[in-house]
Amino acid sequence: VVVTAFGSMPALSWLLVLPALLLQFVFNTGLALIFARLGSRTPDLAQLMPFVLRTWMYASGVMFSLPAMLAGKDVPGWLADVLQWNPAAVYMDLVRFAMIDDYGSSYLPPHVWAFAVGWALLAGVIGFLYFWKAEERYGRG
């Protein structure tokens, strides 16, 4: 609704949102499994998470496009790479590319789909294994 209000009309590229969201779902599930296990032993972790997530949000380009902000700035190359390969930034860039007409492929880092798949597999597999290894300890009062 928001995208159409700003003049972008539905197009075939909008279908790219589905695989991007599926990959983000796997990534988020992996992180949730990791933090579920950590939180089961350390309840105070819940107090720290809002600060970590807020910092991650601001470093991910939620309010702005990272490539647009980094263009023409004297930013070290390694820092620009770290910011652009941040998993949250990768998934947001894919959805922006799919839904916003003016957000062309020039805004996407190279191999962005490979990184999206890589982050999803990494977090999903590690999260599942990490959670599964301690399943006998959950809910044991």
Side-chain angles (χ1 to χ4, degrees):
V1 172
V2 173
V3 175
T4 56
F6 282 96
S8 290
M9 289 298 125
L12 283 177
S13 67
W14 283 27
L15 293 176
L16 291 173
V17 169
L18 297 175
L21 289 179
L22 177 66
L23 291 170
Q24 184 178 2
F25 174 78
V26 172
F27 175 79
N28 291 347
T29 301
L31 282 185
L33 290 170
I34 291 168
F35 283 101
R37 179 174 170 183
L38 292 173
S40 73
R41 287 291 207 197
T42 315
D44 288 340
L45 189 63
Q47 303 301 318
L48 179 64
M49 287 311 298
F51 299 105
V52 172
L53 291 175
R54 191 172 302 121
T55 303
W56 189 19
M57 177 186 71
Y58 290 128
S60 300
V62 171
M63 308 295 187
F64 52 87
S65 169
L66 281 173
M69 291 301 290
L70 294 173
K73 304 281 194 265
D74 190 23
V75 177
W78 66 269
L79 180 60
D81 290 342
V82 166
L83 290 172
Q84 287 188 326
W85 297 123
N86 171 355
V90 167
Y91 296 124
M92 280 187 290
D93 277 344
L94 288 176
V95 172
R96 285 177 181 148
F97 173 71
M99 297 195 74
I100 300 173
D101 295 335
D102 295 335
Y103 201 85
S105 60
S106 63
Y107 288 104
L108 296 177
H111 312 296
V112 69
W113 281 102
F115 270 88
V117 169
W119 279 121
L121 289 175
L122 183 72
V125 170
I126 289 174
F128 174 78
L129 292 174
Y130 184 66
F131 185 84
W132 177 55
K133 291 292 183 181
E135 76 174 326
E136 70 278 352
R137 292 186 291 210
Y138 303 135
R140 303 261 187 234

